[in-house]
């Protein structure tokens, strides 16, 4: 049965408006990067896998000393599950995350020569690695214009109509379909940072928003 008009996802903002929005984001922050701290593709993979239901600040604190000593899958296996669990015990779900990191490290050694693969499918075959984690790694270490949609991007995409969608997969497709190609590489970084510091969930900071005049969000704050 067809959905009623009221239930349909609204159209994305037109191309010209998208260009203006992302031009402003780029002017304010020409080279955005993830706030997770890492050394290489492997440590980023581990950090992102640990970030579920945890803050980037919390993950950075937990991995600061770890990543000084452990930068490869083999070194992680040599560290072992017990020691890793103790290293990251300050973050949520640390026991399961430690098990996943040891398991993915073993898989990387056994099947990928100790290297992080540059394929989304291969990354998602690793224990504890979902599409969002794979996309972060592809974007931040391999310069692939992948869109890692988290709660911030989902909220901003729908509020602003930059990339509206009913779920994270739909928002990811909407970004790919509607954000101009010249901005695709850095798009998800800009949107995450905008959602984290400006377009916040409970009380968006519309007064300081650089795209307030272009945003159709009706419940704007004074």
């Amino acid at each position: 049965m067809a959905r009623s008009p009221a239930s349909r996802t609204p159209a994305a903002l037109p191309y010209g408006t998208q260009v203006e929005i992302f031009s402003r984001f780029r002017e304010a922050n020409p080279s955005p990067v993830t706030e997770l701290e890492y050394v290489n593709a492997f440590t980023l993979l581990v950090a992102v896998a640990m970030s579920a239901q945890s803050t980037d600040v919390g993950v950075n604190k937990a991995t600061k000393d770890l990543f000084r000593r452990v930068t490869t899958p083999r070194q992680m296996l040599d560290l072992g599950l017990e020691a890793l669990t103790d290293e990251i015990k300050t973050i949520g779900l640390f026991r399961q995350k430690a098990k996943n990191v040891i398991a993915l490290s073993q898989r990387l050694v056994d099947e990928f020569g100790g290297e992080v693969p540059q394929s989304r499918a291969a990354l998602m075959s690793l224990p504890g690695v979902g599409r969002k984690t794979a996309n972060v790694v592809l974007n931040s270490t391999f310069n692939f214009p992948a869109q890692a949609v988290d709660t911030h991007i989902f909220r901003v995409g729908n509020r602003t109509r930059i990339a509206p969608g009913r779920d994270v997969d739909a928002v990811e497709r909407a970004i790919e379909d509607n954000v101009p190609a010249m901005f695709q590489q850095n798009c998800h970084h800009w949107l995450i940072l905008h959602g984290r510091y400006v377009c916040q969930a409970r009380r968006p900071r519309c007064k300081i928003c650089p795209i307030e005049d272009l945003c159709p969000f009706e419940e704007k704050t004074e």
Side-chain angles (χ1 to χ4, degrees), residues 124-176:
M124 290 178 65
S125 74
L126 300 173
V129 177
R131 188 178 181 90
K132 185 183 77 171
T133 297
N135 282 350
V136 172
V137 173
L138 290 172
N139 183 286
S140 295
T141 61
F142 300 125
N143 296 317
F144 185 82
Q147 308 303 328
V149 179
D150 66 355
T151 55
H152 295 302
I153 293 182
F154 183 79
R155 178 176 65 254
V156 172
N158 279 286
R159 273 185 180 172
T160 63
R161 287 192 15 229
I162 289 172
R166 294 169 64 87
D167 54 41
V168 294
D169 292 337
V171 169
E172 181 180 338
R173 290 192 298 271
I175 292 174
E176 294 171 347

Side-chain angles (χ1 to χ4, degrees), residues 177-193:
D177 291 344
N178 295 287
V179 173
M182 69 188 89
F183 301 114
Q184 288 275 336
Q185 179 63 44
N186 292 320
C187 175
H188 94 272
H189 292 300
W190 283 317
L191 294 181
I192 286 174
L193 294 171

